[in-house]
Amino acid sequence: MSASCGRNPPPFPDNDDQEAELDNGVLDSDEDDDEGEDIFTGASSKPITPTSAPEEADIFSEEGSYIHHTTNGLHSDEELELFTEATVELTLTNTTSQGRREIIGPTASACNTAHVPNSIHKPSIVNKTMEELEEDESTDQFELNVAVTNPEKMGDGMNAYMSYKVSTQTTLPMFRNKTFSVRRRFSDFLGLYEKLSAKHSLLGCIIPSPPQKSVVGMTKVKVGKEDSSSAEFVEKRRSALERYLQRVVAHPSLLQDPDVREFLERDELPRAVYTQTLSGPGLLKMINRASDAVNKKTIKMNESDNWFESKLQEVENEEQLLRKLHTAVDSLVNHRKELCSNTAVFSKSVAMLGSVEENSALSRALSQLAEVQDKMEQLHHQQAFSDFFILAELLADYVRLLGAVRCCFEQRMKAWQRLQEAQSTLQRKREAEAKLLWANKPDKLQQAKDDINEWESKVSQYERDFERVTCTVRKEVLRFDKEKTRDFKQHIVKYIESLLHTQHRLVKCWEAFLPEAKAIA
Amino acid sequence: MMTELSVTASSIRITDVTQDGDILTFAITSQKLNSSGGVCVFRTYEDFDWLQQNLFSQENVPGLQGVIFPPLPPKVPSPLNTASKSLKQLGFLALGHDWQSYCKALEFYLQQVATHPILSQCKALDSFLTKSESPGKQRGRKGILNRLSQAVEGMRKESHKDVDDFFQKQRHKNTNLAALSKVATEKILDVVLTEQKLALACGHFSTCLHLCVNQDDEAAVAFSKICLKLSDIVEAVKRNFEKVANNNIATLGLGLDLEARYEEAEKEMLFRRTCKLIELETVKKNTEKTKANKRDVMEEIQKATEKEFSLISSVAKQEIERFHSSRVTVLRSFLVGWCEKQLDTAKECAKLYSQYLDTCKNLFSE
């Protein structure tokens, strides 16, 4: 990731509080903090499973030097106030090295087939356990809250669009002000993603993806339909954009990116037309994606360590499982909505019965019953929302995130492929040189030697790249796993709270009705 | 024939139901009036039908047509286990485990007949409740009182203007109540069906969560724990829906269904009376038109018809009053029962969720 994989003997800062902070975060959920969408935060450097065989020690040492980590400070429940301005507090621990993530390359000579670069060993670090690494300390703590609110329709006709207010609160010195806000539209968010992808995905970072485009949804909004379904669509999108942004700023290296800063701060952003599906770059992207899909199948790596292979398999399995879960929750949400409407219809029928009933006490009881059913309908409605926003969207987000994780594995494979190709080219050049020597053509020899030098340096560059990507991917994945667990934990707690809340209200409804029923004579 | 019922009406219970192919057999128990002994008989729907026909076809009961006959639940469609057919024909009574609702409805029917001042004296009832051999084999005369036919003829007669204000009003009210209570029953049936669907969806979700269990590495183990916890919670949600649906079925649903069918029964009675009224008016008109020589005969007929009509009307009036007071009581008990059950279930569920919340908060803060 960003700072660091510094090769210089890294002093391990003692972050003993790392774990403790994380725990506090969850425990603090009772206080009135903001909606804690758990995001990618808080990774401490815990890249390695210390169980692997000796030859993998190289990678370990590499990663062992990583110091950068972040913690997510507080989470909260805003429970049913899901739709109000949600902010997230992040605590970023930003250690020293920012900017260029450079690995001072392995001093070993060229490897032929080894994809595991030889490197400087740091025996003392190699055996560091995950827990110890996790305790590495954060040096500084910063805060950044971001929220997406106030959707407003701008323009009209088919050129209309929704603009959202993006508000930031921060103590980070890299920003001009402490609190500021700008207005952005959907294509701006997409544009940000494109830029970040282009820059960071090659390094093996997991880039959160923004919500998908929806032609149907947007058209309804553009056309000016004021019904509840387009309001719901806007709300879903606003919430999704907010979670997206929160995940981006939670990622320590992405936060450092000037594009992100610009996105948050700058008043007017140039319109990201290249995000339009049918634009030139859009088409190019589609073509690239297609060709990527084909290529992916053909890259077969020799792994010295099964970690990557098994992890990738795990990721793919999990993606499928989460998809299934999402479908299940979706059907739950739909049935609840059905229950809502059925309850409303029932309520009306009871009200009518009450109105023709002669016995006054019975009539009153029946109208009360109708009211109780109305209240229950509202409760069902709210619960359906909770189901959706707490569970369904969480699952949908993670399905997409797992896709992003897969991409980062792919990046690593591409890096390996480049390395392989460079190595075989080098081999060819050497053979060419040998042939020239044999054939005794001194004039071309210099050229051949130059070629060899060029490719030798390319090979070592690609080796370093590969090593770095490997290191990054491993870290990212481990951090992702941790975050995912925490995210889910938080959401489950939120979900139970919403269930409990609904249930309490339900009890009150029944308690209110009982005396009415008993009063019938 | 009039006899005193030899068992106490309030002790009549349907204690068991067995299914043999397409036939349901009900075990009916009751307490003997004059001794501490109990009686148990086994009856099929055919037997119930026989009873109802006998009740309809009693002779020498003045104003029988003015009686509101307790409604017998419709026959269970065969083949027995087609859920959708059952639902269509029986509505609410098809729900509930093992024909519980249906048995309850039959039980009510017997109790209503046994507590009816006129009907409880029918010999057939006593035979039905006490004789060990089933009476259904003897095919009785089909009564003159048949189910309301929806022929155009029927519709026309139904809206015939009444001579009595009380009855005119009654007919109007009854029409409304019958229609509305039927609608209410249908709507709560929809609610219950959706609740059952929700329970199924929860079950499905919970199963999917179990698929997520994976012991590969530490992170996977942690995640699996979370999934299992969520699965427990979803199971609790599922059980809650099932309970809520069952409560709805056993109390309010049953109550509304009974009310709807009783209103129909009242409608039938009022219709019979209206038919009699039309008959009387026709006879009167004919009498006026007859030539002198036939007039005496016609006048006799007219007098007889008038007498019948007034008997029917007086019985009807009593029946209506009796029905109106008892229905309020019945509805009250159903509503109270329903509310209490739902309240208990809701409180139980809240407690459970609260426990889960505490467990989760503790578990997850590790």
Side-chain angles (χ1 to χ4, degrees):
Chain A
M1 299 211 351
S2 52
S4 83
C5 287
R7 221 7 99 156
N8 341 355
F12 274 92
D14 315 302
N15 180 16
D16 25 29
D17 296 331
Q18 187 78 317
E19 272 305 292
E21 267 161 16
L22 293 174
D23 296 342
N24 282 337
V26 177
L27 283 175
D28 282 343
S29 57
D30 291 328
E31 287 144 41
D32 64 326
D33 302 312
D34 342 59
E35 169 154 321
E37 296 267 2
D38 203 8
I39 355 154
F40 279 160
T41 58
S44 45
S45 58
K46 51 208 171 284
I48 319 110
T49 31
T51 56
S52 4
E55 67 261 32
E56 299 140 17
D58 308 326
I59 302 181
F60 292 3
S61 55
E62 183 109 312
E63 296 171 325
S65 59
Y66 172 75
I67 335 170
H68 185 126
H69 40 249
T70 57
T71 44
N72 190 346
L74 305 174
H75 302 278
S76 81
D77 323 295
E78 259 190 350
E79 270 204 35
L80 294 182
E81 302 178 43
L82 289 169
F83 315 128
T84 56
E85 202 164 62
T87 51
V88 167
E89 268 183 68
L90 305 179
T91 317
L92 292 183
T93 27
N94 212 341
T95 48
T96 52
S97 37
Q98 311 197 2
R100 192 69 191 110
R101 314 88 169 132
E102 204 151 286
I103 301 170
I104 299 171
T107 56
S109 51
C111 30
N112 296 329
T113 52
H115 46 276
V116 177
N118 303 331
S119 47
I120 300 173
H121 292 248
K122 293 255 167 253
S124 56
I125 300 164
V126 164
N127 295 322
K128 236 186 172 21
T129 59
M130 287 239 283
E131 292 70 44
E132 287 169 20
L133 288 166
E134 283 168 3
E135 285 165 18
D136 294 345
E137 192 175 45
S138 47
T139 50
D140 304 297
Q141 308 251 337
F142 295 96
E143 263 189 32
L144 185 117
N145 301 351
V146 66
V148 175
T149 54
N150 299 56
E152 258 173 40
K153 187 170 167 199
M154 317 281 261
D156 51 330
M158 286 314 284
N159 291 325
Y161 63 92
M162 294 301 287
S163 104
Y164 303 87
K165 182 174 168 195
V166 176
S167 325
T168 320
Q169 256 182 309
T170 178
T171 57
L172 286 170
M174 66 182 167
F175 291 97
R176 284 196 299 264
N177 301 320
K178 293 239 183 306
T179 353
F180 49 90
S181 70
V182 291
R183 290 210 77 96
R184 295 282 178 254
R185 53 186 291 185
F186 185 67
S187 54
D188 295 334
F189 288 83
L190 291 185
L192 178 66
Y193 173 68
E194 295 298 323
K195 289 185 200 152
L196 291 177
S197 258
K199 284 193 270 182
H200 296 264
S201 61
L202 290 178
L203 303 166
C205 287
I206 300 174
I207 320 261
S209 53
Q212 287 161 336
K213 292 197 204 184
S214 162
V215 178
V216 173
M218 271 325 283
T219 313
K220 265 200 229 166
V221 171
K222 286 184 193 193
V223 161
K225 263 190 152 194
E226 286 296 327
D227 64 2
S228 59
S229 69
S230 60
E232 234 179 82
F233 170 77
V234 171
E235 177 50 35
K236 275 187 202 167
R237 181 166 269 198
R238 181 210 65 81
S239 171
L241 289 174
E242 187 173 81
R243 293 193 306 273
Y244 162 63
L245 213 51
Q246 286 167 346
R247 289 198 170 103
V248 168
V249 299
H251 194 293
S253 35
L254 292 182
L255 180 59
Q256 301 300 321
D257 190 308
D259 277 324
V260 172
R261 231 176 301 158
E262 189 182 69
F263 182 88
L264 292 175
E265 262 190 331
R266 188 166 158 187
D267 285 324
E268 289 287 321
L269 271 190
R271 179 113 182 266
V273 289
Y274 52 84
T275 59
Q276 284 164 343
T277 326
L278 295 179
S279 63
L283 283 172
L284 195 61
K285 197 163 38 139
M286 279 199 287
I287 295 172
N288 280 341
R289 275 217 194 100
S291 66
D292 275 352
V294 172
N295 285 338
K296 184 171 69 163
K297 308 279 195 271
T298 61
I299 302 179
K300 183 69 181 110
M301 295 178 64
N302 293 331
E303 294 276 11
S304 70
D305 120 6
N306 272 334
W307 191 90
F308 286 93
E309 205 171 293
S310 64
K311 203 62 182 166
L312 181 58
Q313 189 60 49
E314 214 181 283
V315 165
E316 283 170 356
N317 290 344
E318 199 165 290
E319 198 179 326
Q320 290 313 312
L321 283 172
L322 289 188
R323 269 186 215 275
K324 276 204 196 108
L325 283 177
H326 180 257
T327 313
V329 175
D330 223 17
S331 104
L332 191 63
V333 171
N334 287 337
H335 284 315
R336 252 197 231 273
K337 286 191 180 155
E338 200 185 313
L339 185 61
C340 257
S341 56
N342 284 343
T343 309
V345 168
F346 175 58
S347 162
K348 281 199 193 76
S349 72
V350 169
M352 294 219 59
L353 210 48
S355 68
V356 304
E357 177 57 51
E358 275 198 334
N359 181 306
S360 59
L362 183 56
S363 167
R364 195 172 44 240
L366 287 172
S367 346
Q368 283 291 5
L369 177 55
E371 275 182 34
V372 163
Q373 292 296 317
D374 272 337
K375 287 205 194 96
M376 282 174 56
E377 185 226 340
Q378 285 174 11
L379 289 176
H380 290 315
H381 195 58
Q382 278 181 350
Q383 189 59 52
F385 261 133
S386 288
D387 286 355
F388 179 76
F389 280 98
I390 300 178
L391 289 183
E393 289 282 78
L394 173 74
L395 290 166
D397 282 353
Y398 270 91
V399 168
R400 280 204 303 273
L401 283 168
L402 284 171
V405 173
R406 262 192 301 117
C407 280
C408 98
F409 276 83
E410 281 161 30
Q411 292 301 332
R412 178 172 169 272
M413 287 197 258
K414 281 195 196 147
W416 184 79
Q417 202 178 38
R418 275 196 296 273
L419 177 60
Q420 291 302 99
E421 283 165 4
Q423 280 167 348
S424 64
T425 312
L426 180 61
Q427 186 69 4
R428 277 202 313 274
K429 298 290 181 195
R430 288 210 174 113
E431 284 165 11
E433 187 204 28
K435 272 199 213 127
L436 288 176
L437 279 173
W438 214 59
N440 204 9
K441 291 196 178 140
D443 45 330
K444 295 211 178 131
L445 211 54
Q446 186 54 40
Q447 177 65 41
K449 280 207 174 2
D450 286 340
D451 275 353
I452 290 179
N453 283 336
E454 183 195 337
W455 280 96
E456 267 176 357
S457 73
K458 271 196 186 158
V459 165
S460 50
Q461 173 65 46
Y462 290 160
E463 266 171 11
R464 286 199 299 277
D465 284 347
F466 178 74
E467 210 182 290
R468 186 180 55 221
V469 171
T470 300
C471 153
T472 306
V473 167
R474 212 190 261 268
K475 261 185 320 250
E476 286 280 282
V477 167
L478 288 168
R479 195 188 68 150
F480 173 79
D481 272 345
K482 200 152 187 257
E483 282 315 304
K484 179 184 69 181
T485 304
R486 196 156 53 167
D487 220 349
F488 272 72
K489 278 181 186 173
Q490 272 202 328
H491 277 80
I492 290 174
V493 168
K494 234 199 250 177
Y495 184 61
I496 312 176
E497 282 170 347
S498 86
L499 284 175
L500 190 56
H501 185 90
T502 305
Q503 203 60 28
H504 279 149
R505 303 255 292 270
L506 211 62
V507 167
K508 284 213 183 71
C509 279
W510 290 120
E511 281 175 343
F513 180 64
L514 190 57
E516 287 293 335
K518 287 191 166 157
I520 302 171
Chain B
M1 278 219 340
M2 309 290 230
T3 51
E4 278 294 315
L5 191 59
S6 61
V7 297
T8 48
S10 54
S11 68
I12 301 174
R13 295 281 181 275
I14 295 189
T15 50
D16 195 21
V17 55
T18 50
Q19 183 174 336
D20 182 18
D22 271 353
I23 312 286
L24 289 175
T25 308
F26 306 92
I28 306 170
T29 57
S30 47
Q31 286 292 105
K32 277 255 174 232
L33 205 55
N34 298 324
S35 65
S36 56
V39 190
C40 181
V41 294
F42 297 92
R43 300 286 180 253
T44 63
Y45 189 82
E46 249 187 357
D47 301 324
F48 279 90
D49 206 24
W50 171 88
L51 174 61
Q52 187 78 326
Q53 294 306 321
N54 268 283
L55 293 172
F56 283 159
S57 58
Q58 292 179 83
E59 292 170 347
N60 304 323
V61 178
L64 184 66
Q65 294 191 49
V67 168
I68 301 177
F69 287 85
L72 181 63
K75 187 165 196 272
V76 172
S78 62
L80 223 70
N81 289 319
T82 33
S84 55
K85 223 181 177 186
S86 300
L87 213 53
K88 228 189 270 179
Q89 293 199 12
L90 300 178
F92 239 96
L93 303 181
L95 296 178
H97 296 297
D98 295 332
W99 305 106
Q100 283 307 310
S101 308
Y102 193 70
C103 288
K104 261 273 168 294
L106 286 175
E107 200 178 278
F108 276 132
Y109 165 73
L110 288 174
Q111 286 172 346
Q112 294 293 330
V113 174
T115 48
H116 194 282
I118 299 173
L119 297 178
S120 58
Q121 299 182 336
C122 175
K123 187 160 182 255
L125 180 64
D126 200 60
S127 302
F128 180 91
L129 289 172
T130 56
K131 293 277 188 303
S132 50
E133 74 283 355
S134 88
K137 306 303 172 204
Q138 331 151 26
R139 272 293 134 240
R141 266 189 320 142
K142 265 284 195 238
I144 50 174
L145 310 171
N146 288 318
R147 284 208 90 80
L148 200 62
S149 75
Q150 289 300 314
V152 176
E153 175 92 7
M155 297 295 270
R156 189 174 56 79
K157 283 185 184 171
E158 206 172 280
S159 51
H160 184 92
K161 192 157 190 328
D162 210 300
V163 295
D164 184 331
D165 215 24
F166 170 78
F167 281 103
Q168 185 66 49
K169 280 209 190 90
Q170 243 351 90
R171 280 159 64 188
H172 179 67
K173 269 190 283 183
N174 168 263
T175 309
N176 283 341
L177 272 176
L180 291 176
S181 52
K182 189 148 180 268
V183 167
T185 313
E186 285 167 7
K187 297 316 169 192
I188 195 177
L189 184 62
D190 287 340
V191 169
V192 166
L193 291 174
T194 311
E195 284 165 346
Q196 290 178 335
K197 272 193 232 167
L198 269 166
L200 277 175
C202 286
H204 184 61
F205 182 31
S206 167
T207 312
C208 281
L209 283 166
H210 276 275
L211 292 175
C212 291
V213 173
N214 171 352
Q215 309 283 336
D216 284 351
D217 57 54
E218 197 178 304
V221 167
F223 189 65
S224 301
K225 276 205 196 121
I226 296 172
C227 286
L228 286 177
K229 202 74 205 138
L230 183 59
S231 161
D232 286 342
I233 293 159
V234 172
E235 282 287 317
V237 175
K238 166 182 160 191
R239 281 194 303 272
N240 184 47
F241 273 124
E242 285 169 350
K243 279 201 196 120
V244 167
N246 285 336
N247 291 344
N248 281 338
I249 294 170
T251 55
L252 189 63
L254 201 59
L256 283 174
D257 176 78
L258 190 69
E259 163 73 7
R261 285 184 297 115
Y262 241 106
E263 294 290 339
E264 274 302 309
E266 188 189 10
K267 197 185 215 175
E268 284 170 25
M269 180 279 279
L270 290 168
F271 182 67
R272 288 193 293 269
R273 180 184 162 279
T274 308
C275 288
K276 201 59 163 181
L277 175 63
I278 293 172
E279 189 188 319
L280 180 60
E281 288 175 353
T282 314
V283 164
K284 275 191 185 151
K285 259 193 240 145
N286 290 344
T287 308
E288 277 164 27
K289 285 195 215 143
T290 13
K291 299 199 195 114
N293 53 350
K294 296 255 179 72
R295 189 154 285 211
D296 283 344
V297 179
M298 291 303 288
E299 273 177 4
E300 280 301 309
I301 296 175
Q302 186 181 316
K303 246 200 218 146
T305 316
E306 261 172 17
K307 190 164 172 232
E308 272 170 30
F309 181 67
S310 81
L311 273 173
I312 290 175
S313 295
S314 70
V315 169
K317 232 187 197 142
Q318 286 170 354
E319 283 285 280
I320 287 170
E321 274 158 20
R322 185 171 169 271
F323 172 51
H324 281 198
S325 70
S326 84
R327 85 178 251 285
V328 173
T329 317
V330 167
L331 278 175
R332 178 188 186 282
S333 83
F334 275 123
L335 284 172
V336 171
W338 175 65
C339 185
E340 283 173 344
K341 269 213 169 120
Q342 294 290 36
L343 182 57
D344 282 341
T345 304
K347 280 185 177 159
E348 230 177 79
C349 186
K351 208 162 140 218
L352 193 61
Y353 287 163
S354 180
Q355 283 170 359
Y356 272 125
L357 183 61
D358 288 335
T359 318
C360 279
K361 278 187 170 166
N362 290 336
L363 199 64
F364 290 168
S365 65
E366 290 164 6

